[in-house]
């Protein structure tokens, strides 16, 4: 507790060095062990020069270690208040108990949330619910220790009135609440502090965040005597007359991320539309239906093109009908090279998940929550409440790599689980998924395995969104703006 409280104090000073001294800080503490961190923080802030006070939400501590740090804080001069008068009646260290609610958070500059720790589940009852509401309505800047009170650290769920923080200081490592919705939206800025817990204290079932060095280590230096065949052949079976842009985006992103040759196979009527936007790729116009989608009679040509490819992206903008379902099934069953199944390709196999048992090639599936909902017949809300568990179970059962898109995309092969922290809300628009699929296919064509390719692609894809948003705005960027960043960003990993 002393290490955790001290580390949090140091992080608070780093963040608010010019504001915290002489400010009014209310440290809200529950009656569990998380309160011990709060008592240490309150004492250190008081000694630093802040008007720091402890607000006991329920009662004074009874557990030995928190009690020790509580008494140290009181003996150092830290004032103690009770959130309710009923709590004050049983307390020994109280100032102006009858006015405590007004004193505790009216005009507070900062509130430090140490009410609950990582063990919170269910809902906040009675005085705790009132305290949550009071903190959220206070107008003060809120600093949460480990996780915002009211969030479920092991799932990312939240209870009603869960505290919304401006800064969350995670102890030792990120928890699911920091990276999974809806709790991640309550954390504000997140900083992790190390208190010396060794790696062997963590069990083997953890998830990892995708880090820059992990991505960089997946790229090998390019040989000086390379040619265009060295970096792989990527086949994109994408587009329709009405959605030709999906194939354009997937193809351009594949080229900008390093594939040697990229071929866009698309319906005849989509060919002149796409060709107006692409000059560097190969084209393979295919037989189509009367509505401008892939015809089942294109099957022979598809089989021939599969022989050429080192990776295949199928689904972006192909539409969903009997013919595209037949073409999608053909690719899944006949391909001997890795397949990236996205968008309408995923929708084409709804109700036929058993097809994964017949596939001989590695598959990367890239659903967003609605597509995942259709695949497994579960409500989107249920999927969002258990993104990691849902993705891991589906990937393991079907022997695939799953990329469950959304804020903090999850990548898993059913054993290892990775969470991506790059990206921002500006990417919530049509076309970004097509860009991601093209990148995954490109990295596979260049020699990466499916899991590494997915990890690298989601990380760099998010980085493109972050860079574009900084240069323009979150509301004003287009996929083309992200694409412009891609080529330059690749230099960071070479």
């Amino acid at each position: 507790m002393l290490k955790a409280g001290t580390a949090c104090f140091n992080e608070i000073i780093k963040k608010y060095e010019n504001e915290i001294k002489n400010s009014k800080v209310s440290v809200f503490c529950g009656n569990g062990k998380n309160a011990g961190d709060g008592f240490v923080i309150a004492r250190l802030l008081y000694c630093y020069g802040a008007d720091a006070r402890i607000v006991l939400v329920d009662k004074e501590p009874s557990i030995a270690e928190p009690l020790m740090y509580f008494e140290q804080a009181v003996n150092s001069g830290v004032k103690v208040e009770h959130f309710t008068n009923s709590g004050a009646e049983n307390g020994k260290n109280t100032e102006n108990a009858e006015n405590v609610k007004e004193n505790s958070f009216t005009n507070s500059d900062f509130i430090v949330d140490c009410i609950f720790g990582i063990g919170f589940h269910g809902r906040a009852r009675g005085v705790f619910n009132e305290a949550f509401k009071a903190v959220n309505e206070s107008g003060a800047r809120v600093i949460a220790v480990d996780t915002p009170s009211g969030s479920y650290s092991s799932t990312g769920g939240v209870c009603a009135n869960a505290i919304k923080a401006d800064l969350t200081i995670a102890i030792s490592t990120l928890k699911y609440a920091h990276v999974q919705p809806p709790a991640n939206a309550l954390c504000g800025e997140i900083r992790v502090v190390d208190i010396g817990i060794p790696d062997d204290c963590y069990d083997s079932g953890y998830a990892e965040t995708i880090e820059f060095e992990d991505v960089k280590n997946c790229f090998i230096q390019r040989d000086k005597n390379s040619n265009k065949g060295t970096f792989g052949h990527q086949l994109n079976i994408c587009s329709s007359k009405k959605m030709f842009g999906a194939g354009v985006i997937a193809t351009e992103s594949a080229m900008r991320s390093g594939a040697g040759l990229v071929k866009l196979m698309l319906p005849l009527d989509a060919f002149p539309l796409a060709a107006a936007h692409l000059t560097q790729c190969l084209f393979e116009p295919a037989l189509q239906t009367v509505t401008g989608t892939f015809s089942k009679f294109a099957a022979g040509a598809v089989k021939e093109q599969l022989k050429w490819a080192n990776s295949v992206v199928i689904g972006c903008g192909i539409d969903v009908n009997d013919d595209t379902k037949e073409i999608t099934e053909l690719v899944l069953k006949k391909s001997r090279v890795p397949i990236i199944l996205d968008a309408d390709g995923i929708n084409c196999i709804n109700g036929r998940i058993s097809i994964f048992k017949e596939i001989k090639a590695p598959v990367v599936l890239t659903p967003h929550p609605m597509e995942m909902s259709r695949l497994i017949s579960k409500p989107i809300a249920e999927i969002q409440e258990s993104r990691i568990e849902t993705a891991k179970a589906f990937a393991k059962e079907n022997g695939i790599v799953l990329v469950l898109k959304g804020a903090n995309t999850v990548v898993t092969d059913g054993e290892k689980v990775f969470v991506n922290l790059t990206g921002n809300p500006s990417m919530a628009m049509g076309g970004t998924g097509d860009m991601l699929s093209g990148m995954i296919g490109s990295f596979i064509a260049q020699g990466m395995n499916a899991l590494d390719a997915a990890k690298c692609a989601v990380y760099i894809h998010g980085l493109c969104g972050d860079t574009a948003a900084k240069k323009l705005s979150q509301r004003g960027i287009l996929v083309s703006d992200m694409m412009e960043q891609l080529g330059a960003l690749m230099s960071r990993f070479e």
Side-chain angles (χ1 to χ4, degrees):
M1 286 180 190
L2 179 61
K3 285 184 176 180
T6 302
C8 290
F9 163 76
N10 289 332
E11 206 61 43
I12 291 169
I13 298 306
K14 285 181 189 176
K15 173 70 174 176
Y16 300 111
E17 180 179 6
N18 298 324
E19 302 167 75
I20 202 80
K21 189 174 286 190
N22 301 319
S23 65
K24 182 176 179 180
V25 185
S26 297
V27 183
F28 276 59
C29 298
N31 50 33
K33 292 185 177 181
N34 203 49
D37 301 346
F39 301 144
V40 172
I41 293 168
R43 177 176 60 82
L44 293 174
L45 286 173
Y46 177 80
C47 294
Y48 183 75
D51 177 12
R53 59 193 64 207
I54 293 168
V55 180
L56 296 175
V57 175
D58 185 23
K59 56 188 176 183
E60 292 182 5
S62 57
I63 304 171
E65 193 174 5
L67 178 60
M68 177 176 67
Y69 292 118
F70 175 69
E71 291 175 343
Q72 285 183 9
V74 171
N75 292 336
S76 296
V78 178
K79 297 176 182 177
V80 179
E81 299 176 345
H82 290 261
F83 181 70
T84 63
N85 289 340
S86 59
E89 291 169 1
N90 299 317
K92 300 175 183 177
N93 299 284
T94 302
E95 179 197 16
N96 299 327
E98 66 279 5
N99 296 319
V100 69
K101 277 196 175 184
E102 182 179 352
N103 287 345
S104 298
F105 37 86
T106 299
N107 299 322
S108 284
D109 301 298
F110 295 90
I111 290 177
V112 179
D113 165 26
C114 292
I115 303 173
F116 286 107
I118 61 175
F120 179 85
H121 286 283
R123 62 189 182 91
R125 292 176 171 84
V127 67
F128 293 107
N129 185 54
E130 290 300 313
F132 287 8
K133 290 170 62 178
V135 171
N136 285 334
E137 295 171 1
S138 67
R141 276 178 284 186
V142 178
I143 303 164
V145 171
D146 217 359
T147 57
S149 291
S151 62
Y152 310 150
S153 65
S154 58
T155 66
V158 298
C159 75
N161 297 321
I163 287 177
K164 182 174 177 58
D166 298 285
L167 171 68
T168 297
I169 304 172
I171 307 296
S172 296
T173 184
L174 294 172
K175 302 1 178 242
Y176 284 3
H178 300 126
V179 299
Q180 294 298 282
N184 62 338
L186 301 180
C187 294
E189 180 185 349
I190 301 170
R191 298 189 178 189
V192 181
V193 293
D194 182 8
I195 62 170
I197 297 176
D199 289 346
D200 59 10
C201 288
Y202 299 99
D203 66 37
S204 59
Y206 61 82
E208 296 182 51
T209 54
I210 304 172
E211 302 293 336
F212 175 87
E213 287 300 326
D214 299 329
V215 175
K216 188 170 183 178
N217 289 337
C218 289
F219 290 92
I220 60 174
Q221 186 173 351
R222 291 196 155 191
D223 190 281
K224 184 176 182 179
N225 296 316
S226 300
N227 59 63
K228 61 187 177 183
T230 306
F231 306 120
H233 296 175
Q234 180 173 332
L235 175 64
N236 291 345
I237 303 175
C238 300
S239 295
S240 59
K241 183 178 180 180
K242 291 182 179 179
M243 293 182 285
F244 73 91
V248 171
I249 292 169
T251 300
E252 184 176 351
S253 69
M255 293 187 293
R256 285 189 179 273
S257 50
L261 286 171
V262 184
K263 184 180 290 185
L264 176 56
M265 189 174 195
L266 72 177
L268 279 166
D269 282 354
F271 167 56
L273 301 171
H277 296 270
L278 295 168
T279 58
Q280 193 172 323
C281 70
L282 303 173
F283 287 99
E284 184 64 29
L287 296 176
Q288 66 179 32
T289 64
V290 293
T291 58
T293 67
F294 280 99
S295 166
K296 62 183 179 181
F297 296 112
V302 170
K303 289 179 185 178
E304 284 301 310
Q305 293 306 316
L306 290 175
K307 297 175 184 177
W308 172 86
N310 299 117
S311 68
V312 181
V313 174
I314 180 168
C316 305
I318 64 173
D319 206 353
V320 181
N321 54 50
D322 289 342
D323 287 56
T324 56
K325 287 179 182 179
E326 191 168 319
I327 293 296
T328 300
E329 184 172 336
L330 180 149
V331 170
L332 291 173
K333 290 182 177 180
K334 296 297 183 181
S335 178
R336 296 298 181 266
V337 298
I339 304 160
I340 297 83
L341 188 65
D342 183 34
D344 285 338
I346 297 172
N347 295 327
C348 280
I349 63 165
N350 280 342
R352 297 186 295 161
I353 295 178
S354 60
I355 195 172
F356 289 117
K357 306 300 182 184
E358 305 175 50
I359 300 173
K360 296 180 173 60
V363 174
V364 180
L365 200 69
T366 61
H368 55 57
M370 182 177 290
E371 290 164 345
M372 194 72 200
S373 173
R374 296 187 191 119
L375 272 179
I376 62 177
S377 300
K378 286 186 178 180
I380 294 174
E382 187 175 330
I383 291 169
Q384 291 294 77
E385 288 172 0
S386 57
R387 284 170 57 84
I388 289 175
E389 293 80 2
T390 299
K392 186 176 181 180
F394 188 90
K396 186 171 186 176
E397 181 181 351
N398 294 288
I400 64 168
V401 171
L402 187 76
V403 177
L404 182 53
K405 296 184 291 196
N408 302 133
T409 292
V410 177
V411 180
T412 178
D413 62 357
E415 297 294 336
K416 297 179 179 179
V417 182
F418 300 90
V419 179
N420 183 51
L421 301 185
T422 63
N424 62 80
S426 69
M427 299 168 65
M429 59 180 167
T432 54
D434 304 319
M435 179 179 175
L436 176 63
S437 293
M439 294 171 65
I440 298 172
S442 175
F443 294 151
I444 291 176
Q446 293 173 67
M448 286 189 198
N449 64 52
L451 182 61
D452 284 345
K455 285 167 49 183
C456 293
V458 299
Y459 182 91
I460 298 171
H461 182 249
L463 209 56
C464 289
D466 290 340
T467 307
K470 285 178 182 177
K471 290 189 174 182
L472 298 172
S473 68
Q474 286 198 7
R475 287 178 171 82
I477 75 168
L478 302 175
V479 177
S480 57
D481 298 313
M482 292 175 56
M483 201 80 74
E484 286 181 5
Q485 308 305 317
L486 178 55
L489 286 174
M490 291 304 301
S491 68
R492 300 189 190 180
F493 306 95
E494 293 179 347

